Each structure stands twice: as structure tokens, then as C-alpha cells.
Amino acid sequence: MAVLMDGKALAAKIKAEIKAQAGALRAKGTVPGLAVVIVGSDPASLRYVKHKKRDCAECDIESYEYALPEETGMTELLELIDRLNRDPKVHGILVQMPLPKGYDEQRVLYSISPSKDVDAFHPENVGLISIGTPRFLPCTPAGVMAMLDAYGIDPKGRECVVVGRSNIVGKPQSMLLLQRHGTVTVCHSRTNNLAEVTRRADILVCAVGKMGLITGDMVKPGAVVVDVAMNVKPDGKLTGDVVFSEVEPKASCITPVPGGVGPMTRVMLLRNTITAAGGAL
């Protein structure tokens, strides 16, 4: 039976460290602040923003929420980001994605000051990550690495397979594993014989968003399986890309969905906010 990698418990431990750092910054006169901008009323985005607000409160980080109607224009949104870039009370800026149709998401992300880009999506921050000198680490891949560390799983010299090549997870995840001396293969929708590749993995990270993608016959016995995806089943419950009932008996360690990578993504955002405010984590 695989060890369940408990992201919820680990996130709670890291939150305590973040709260201590926030207190140290406040004692020096700096109140760490995170601005979250949401456009429209997407239920999933609203729920995620609510969680982020609660996380900030738990860690003594000031949360500034800007909820804009869907009909807000690009000009108005960019003007808000410009004000936040210049606001000394705001150390981190996050624009909740996806934006409604008609918005230029790339232009919006690029308008955020790199020094306040706590999602690490700005090309300057992506470049720093790629050369191994990051200002901030992208939240979900950083959360995965923190989980591997917490469970004593060293990528060095191991076959690491990342299924998914998004700018948010797949690509940066491959870079972080490579920087830790893993031998990394990135798979995607055009990969031939996906199962042959995934069966080589000592560490398998799945980040596609396709329910049931990874079945038991696609996993090497003893592999570490990290399921980043979060899909909604017809009954409303959440599940990842991995068929848990088939993969868990073969894996040495596995993340549950929910309760695995999700809480770690949110806590890494707080860690980046503390870093932006001048804290040491």
C-alpha cells in the first residue's frame, strides 16, 4: 500500500512558518500584502479566491481583493494593475485566471511588475527560473517539490516523467526537477506510446486535466505518483488524472485528490508573498 502524501497537513506546517515570518516583518514595520484581482463570476475562481483570502488571514498577510464585473474593459483592468504595481502596501499581485472571453491574458500577466508577480508567470521570472536563479518559484511546481522533500524523495539520478506541458505546471515542473538532477521526460497530447514512457518513471507527475488518463498498467511498481490535476466528476466530487484505485496499490507514494497538491499550491503563493515583502523562507 502506498504512502499517502498529505498536502493538507504539510501546508498547515508551512503556514505556521509563514505566519512567523509575517510577524517578524510586521515587527520591522512591513505588513505583507497580497492583492487578488478577479474579473467576472466564474464559480471555481470565486471559490479559489475565497480560499486565498482565508489563507492570508491565517498567516497574518493583508489581503486586498478587487472583484471586477465581467464587462470591465482591458484598459480599466490594466490601470488597476498599474496602481497596484505602484502601491507600497501591495507586495504581491495575482490576477485570477481564466479571464472572461475578450481579454488578452498574456498582456495582463505581462503588465504585472516582475517583483510583485507571485505566480511567477511574467517572462522575466520564467527566465530566472530557467537559469536556476529564481526570484519566485511557480506555486504548483514548488508545492510538488516541497512535498517530495517532505517525504524524503530525492529526484537526483531518477527517471522523472511529467505528463503535461503547460506554462503553469508542466514546463516549470520539468525545470525544477531538472535543477534537482532528475532525468526528465515531458509528455503531451502528441506523445506516442504514452504508457511506455510513464512506465519508466521513478517519479511521475500528472498535470493534464483528463480524468482517468493514468491507469494502473501505466505505472512502474514502486513509483512516486504526484497527481496535480483536479477534475470534477458527474457527481460533483473531485478527482485527478490518475485512476487512484488502480495506481495506489502499485505506487510507493501517491498524492490524493483532493488534499494533495491543491493545498500546497495555495501555501506557496503565501510563501512568495512573504519573499516579495522581504521575508526569508
Side-chain angles (χ1 to χ4, degrees), residues 41-158:
S41 55
D42 177 72
S45 292
L46 289 170
R47 183 169 62 249
Y48 201 50
V49 168
K50 180 181 178 181
H51 288 159
K52 289 171 182 172
K53 188 174 183 179
R54 184 188 64 197
D55 291 339
C56 285
E58 291 175 354
C59 294
D60 283 347
I61 294 173
E62 289 294 320
S63 177
Y64 306 102
E65 184 179 331
Y66 298 86
L68 306 178
E70 187 169 335
E71 60 270 17
T72 301
M74 271 289 293
T75 299
E76 186 177 346
L77 177 56
L78 293 174
E79 287 175 349
L80 170 60
I81 293 171
D82 181 60
R83 290 198 301 274
L84 297 175
N85 282 338
R86 292 182 283 107
D87 189 339
K89 299 191 304 297
V90 173
H91 300 96
I93 301 171
L94 180 147
V95 178
Q96 185 65 38
M97 298 292 167
L99 291 170
K101 289 183 179 179
Y103 286 83
D104 185 340
E105 290 190 351
Q106 186 178 77
R107 186 179 175 194
V108 170
L109 292 174
Y110 289 10
S111 71
I112 299 171
S113 169
S115 64
K116 296 188 178 187
D117 168 40
V118 287
D119 257 336
F121 291 161
H122 191 283
E124 179 178 315
N125 287 326
V126 173
L128 290 173
I129 293 163
S130 72
I131 63 173
T133 58
R135 175 186 284 118
F136 308 116
L137 290 176
C139 298
T140 298
V144 170
M145 299 307 292
M147 293 186 80
L148 295 178
D149 288 341
Y151 283 85
I153 301 162
D154 187 355
K156 183 178 181 180
R158 305 181 82 173

Side-chain angles (χ1 to χ4, degrees), residues 159-187:
E159 289 277 353
C160 304
V161 174
V162 178
V163 186
R165 55 176 172 177
S166 72
N167 292 332
I168 295 172
V169 181
K171 290 178 184 176
Q173 187 69 72
S174 67
M175 287 192 287
L176 296 189
L177 288 166
L178 188 62
Q179 288 165 13
R180 294 285 294 276
H181 310 296
T183 299
V184 183
T185 302
V186 179
C187 300

